[in-house]
Amino acid sequence: MTAEAQLGFFGIALLLGLSPGPDNLFVLMQSATHGRRAGLLVTLGLCTGLLAHTAAVALGLAALLASSPAAFGALKLAGAAYLLYLAWGAWRAPATLQAGDEPLRLQPWRLYGRGVLMNLSNPKVAIFFLALLPQFVQDGAGPVPWQIARLGALFMLATLIVFGSFAWLAGGLGLLLRSARAQRLLNRSAALVFVGLGIRLIS
């Protein structure tokens, strides 16, 4: 693949990462409520999910998903149910953090897993990859699956840069919210965001 094509795709990936969407909102809320480390772990989980979507496009699985309304709908419902589960937990979370305390530390594997599940349970990402990646495949630039893999890697790099920056900034904002009232408001806001993302996923 030419350098121009790869740079052009990378620029598009950066712009897509900056545009408001379920994944970056998810990173923002996790980082604001649980700290920068949490947001970065969720970001790594989301990038891992992109690995699966890239493989699905390269192997043609995304096309199968797009042609099966039942499978598509079931995956959307599963993703929405997971988001509602997170919303319930955030709404009921106690406001125990006081000034000078560290944010609640969830297990790293749990935060990472949230990112993976959030990405994999969104079939719209697979369909989006199916529509976007093949447009940048070039004749004579090598096997198509290898080109798809390279484009997926570039998209993951862009996601890591953009979402990692979001996590860092949102984590800094969360450090300023140390009163019980502010923490309760942040938890309730996170719950509402998760509900909205769930509704958006199945709409």
Side-chain angles (χ1 to χ4, degrees), residues 31-102:
S31 189
T33 54
H34 300 297
R36 285 173 175 153
R37 181 170 173 264
L40 292 173
L41 286 168
V42 169
T43 296
L44 291 176
L46 289 168
C47 290
T48 301
L50 291 176
L51 277 173
H53 288 300
T54 301
V57 173
L59 298 174
L61 298 178
L64 180 62
L65 180 65
S67 64
S68 175
F72 188 79
L75 196 54
K76 287 201 298 184
L77 288 175
Y82 178 66
L83 286 168
L84 291 177
Y85 165 76
L86 292 180
W88 177 248
W91 187 270
R92 297 176 64 247
T96 58
L97 194 63
Q98 301 299 325
D101 290 345
E102 289 294 320

Side-chain angles (χ1 to χ4, degrees), residues 27-197:
V27 169
L28 285 170
M29 296 311 302
Q30 293 293 285
S31 189
T33 54
H34 300 297
R36 285 173 175 153
R37 181 170 173 264
L40 292 173
L41 286 168
V42 169
T43 296
L44 291 176
L46 289 168
C47 290
T48 301
L50 291 176
L51 277 173
H53 288 300
T54 301
V57 173
L59 298 174
L61 298 178
L64 180 62
L65 180 65
S67 64
S68 175
F72 188 79
L75 196 54
K76 287 201 298 184
L77 288 175
Y82 178 66
L83 286 168
L84 291 177
Y85 165 76
L86 292 180
W88 177 248
W91 187 270
R92 297 176 64 247
T96 58
L97 194 63
Q98 301 299 325
D101 290 345
E102 289 294 320
L104 178 65
R105 298 296 186 186
L106 297 180
Q107 291 293 329
W109 64 266
R110 181 172 296 179
L111 292 163
Y112 174 79
R114 283 186 177 185
V116 174
L117 285 174
M118 174 66 185
N119 195 269
L120 291 182
S121 63
N122 186 356
K124 294 181 179 180
V125 177
I127 304 305
F128 172 76
F129 264 40
L130 181 63
L132 178 66
L133 299 189
Q135 296 183 32
F136 290 85
V137 171
Q138 297 177 315
D139 292 333
V144 171
W146 171 245
Q147 293 189 58
I148 293 293
R150 183 176 297 184
L151 292 170
L154 288 172
F155 197 95
M156 282 182 276
L157 177 59
T159 299
L160 185 62
I161 292 172
V162 175
F163 286 14
S165 299
F166 285 168
W168 188 264
L169 293 173
L173 175 63
L175 291 174
L176 301 177
L177 304 175
R178 281 294 175 265
S179 69
R181 181 178 180 182
Q183 186 191 357
R184 188 178 299 110
L185 178 61
L186 194 58
N187 289 336
R188 298 291 170 85
S189 298
L192 293 176
V193 168
F194 293 153
V195 170
L197 293 178

